[in-house]
Amino acid sequence: MPPIKNLTKWMLLHYADVVILLLAAAATCFLVINEPSVSPTGENPNVKCKGDEGVIASPGPLKIAEVEDSAGIDITIPKSFDGDGILTATARMNVAESAKLAPGARLATSNTDLIRQTDGVSLPEGQVASSAQVGRGGRTVTLTVCVAPRYGEVSEFGPYSGAASLDDPRAMGGNVPVVIHVKYPYMNRVGLAALFAAYAGLIWARLVRRGDQGLRADSDQSQWSLLVVSVAAGIACLFSVDKLVWDPKDWQGSSSEYLDLVVAACGAVIAAVPTLQALMSHIGKADSGT
């Protein structure tokens, strides 16, 4: 059967391309199968922040106290957040001067809208709650912010900012800046885009090399060296993904961000391949003693 023999012969002569295709196919299948499940199944943040007790009236006479503002609260919702949990963060504030609050008292709080900085979208009101409690000595107040970004609906991804503050006649002040980073969870889609970009960049670099040096441009390199160049170019692509997506907190997965990712990853591969090919050619010549 000549067609099968010809195919077998081609595969033996171009095993680097075969291995690359198999690796790309395996990576694609893995990324498609491992699509994260993101659904509105979260818990009500009020359950953890305030519970059923609400605001507890403190015993004895209540004093109006000035509470110093806190540096702020920063909460990052991780990519792996499964939607069934509530994340919390606290800020500790001091009661100013000689004033004192009733130890252990629960103080009423309020939250402003948490607005996404890029387009003005608000985090759903029911996904954020806050509470405050006076310390044992009556000289400190701990303000707690609870976030459940899957409660009721799946919130948009990205950075949100607002404030939580004391809203109680027993205390004045106590305004805490709040920043919520809801990280983009669909990293398999990011991986697919980067894989497509890397493969496209590799093909383009090979075509340019052949167009510049002739159809037999790859004949001066062994198949194993082509395989090494391809894998190394893929690693260069990963650095682009790291800087654009994995490192920043506030990647939102918009079409423009995906376009930037594809262009950067493809460009990284195209830039890396000529240098790697030249390096491998010198190594090959040194090993052959020429």
Side-chain angles (χ1 to χ4, degrees), residues 100-140:
K100 186 176 180 181
L101 289 167
R106 293 278 294 276
L107 305 179
T109 60
S110 62
N111 312 316
T112 65
D113 290 336
L114 290 169
I115 307 298
R116 190 162 63 172
Q117 301 163 7
T118 53
D119 55 11
V121 173
S122 298
L123 197 67
E125 183 178 354
Q127 294 184 352
V128 182
S130 61
S131 64
Q133 187 165 17
V134 181
R136 293 180 179 180
R139 300 301 310 279
T140 61

Side-chain angles (χ1 to χ4, degrees), residues 228-247:
V228 170
V229 168
S230 301
V231 172
I235 294 174
C237 172
L238 289 178
F239 281 107
S240 299
V241 176
D242 178 66
K243 293 301 181 183
L244 286 173
V245 182
W246 291 332
D247 187 34

Side-chain angles (χ1 to χ4, degrees), residues 20 24 190-206 229-238 241 261-270 273:
I20 294 169
V190 173
L192 285 171
L195 181 65
F196 167 80
Y199 199 73
L202 183 62
I203 292 175
W204 178 257
R206 294 276 294 275
V229 168
S230 301
V231 172
I235 294 174
C237 172
L238 289 178
V241 176
L261 169 66
V262 170
V263 170
C266 186
V269 172
I270 292 174
V273 166

Side-chain angles (χ1 to χ4, degrees), residues 179-290:
V179 179
I180 309 293
H181 302 273
V182 183
K183 300 199 76 170
Y184 185 74
Y186 299 109
M187 299 311 295
N188 66 314
R189 301 178 187 178
V190 173
L192 285 171
L195 181 65
F196 167 80
Y199 199 73
L202 183 62
I203 292 175
W204 178 257
R206 294 276 294 275
L207 289 175
V208 169
R209 178 177 172 85
R210 289 193 175 192
D212 183 49
Q213 300 185 12
L215 294 177
R216 297 181 61 82
D218 292 336
S219 61
D220 62 339
Q221 288 186 318
S222 62
Q223 287 294 300
W224 73 267
S225 64
L226 291 175
L227 182 59
V228 170
V229 168
S230 301
V231 172
I235 294 174
C237 172
L238 289 178
F239 281 107
S240 299
V241 176
D242 178 66
K243 293 301 181 183
L244 286 173
V245 182
W246 291 332
D247 187 34
K249 294 181 178 180
D250 302 327
W251 208 76
Q252 298 173 206
S254 65
S255 57
S256 61
E257 287 174 321
Y258 267 107
L259 180 60
D260 291 341
L261 169 66
V262 170
V263 170
C266 186
V269 172
I270 292 174
V273 166
T275 302
L276 294 169
Q277 285 179 327
L279 180 62
M280 294 304 297
S281 296
H282 284 297
I283 292 175
K285 292 178 181 179
D287 290 340
S288 63
T290 58

Side-chain angles (χ1 to χ4, degrees), residues 8-253:
T8 302
K9 183 178 179 181
W10 183 89
M11 292 177 65
L12 291 174
L13 292 174
H14 300 86
Y15 66 83
D17 293 323
V18 174
V19 172
I20 294 169
L21 284 171
L22 291 175
L23 290 174
T28 300
C29 292
F30 175 80
L31 292 171
V32 169
I33 293 173
N34 286 275
E35 173 83 1
S37 176
V38 181
S39 57
T41 58
E43 303 174 49
N44 189 331
N46 280 298
V47 174
K48 188 168 186 178
C49 239
K50 296 183 178 179
D52 298 328
E53 300 174 337
V55 178
I56 301 175
S58 58
L62 302 178
K63 294 185 178 180
I64 303 299
E66 185 73 27
V67 178
E68 296 178 349
D69 294 350
S70 172
I73 287 177
D74 191 306
I75 300 176
T76 298
I77 311 300
K79 297 185 291 291
S80 58
F81 185 73
D82 61 6
D84 291 326
I86 299 173
L87 299 183
T88 64
T90 61
R92 187 175 180 180
M93 300 172 286
N94 296 318
V95 177
E97 300 177 352
S98 59
K100 186 176 180 181
L101 289 167
R106 293 278 294 276
L107 305 179
T109 60
S110 62
N111 312 316
T112 65
D113 290 336
L114 290 169
I115 307 298
R116 190 162 63 172
Q117 301 163 7
T118 53
D119 55 11
V121 173
S122 298
L123 197 67
E125 183 178 354
Q127 294 184 352
V128 182
S130 61
S131 64
Q133 187 165 17
V134 181
R136 293 180 179 180
R139 300 301 310 279
T140 61
V141 176
T142 299
L143 189 145
T144 303
V145 173
C146 303
V147 183
R150 304 290 185 266
Y151 175 63
E153 62 181 286
V154 177
S155 59
E156 298 287 341
F157 313 112
Y160 297 82
S161 60
S165 60
L166 300 182
D167 188 15
D168 196 290
R170 292 166 286 182
M172 297 180 294
N175 301 305
V176 179
V178 177
V179 179
I180 309 293
H181 302 273
V182 183
K183 300 199 76 170
Y184 185 74
Y186 299 109
M187 299 311 295
N188 66 314
R189 301 178 187 178
V190 173
L192 285 171
L195 181 65
F196 167 80
Y199 199 73
L202 183 62
I203 292 175
W204 178 257
R206 294 276 294 275
L207 289 175
V208 169
R209 178 177 172 85
R210 289 193 175 192
D212 183 49
Q213 300 185 12
L215 294 177
R216 297 181 61 82
D218 292 336
S219 61
D220 62 339
Q221 288 186 318
S222 62
Q223 287 294 300
W224 73 267
S225 64
L226 291 175
L227 182 59
V228 170
V229 168
S230 301
V231 172
I235 294 174
C237 172
L238 289 178
F239 281 107
S240 299
V241 176
D242 178 66
K243 293 301 181 183
L244 286 173
V245 182
W246 291 332
D247 187 34
K249 294 181 178 180
D250 302 327
W251 208 76
Q252 298 173 206

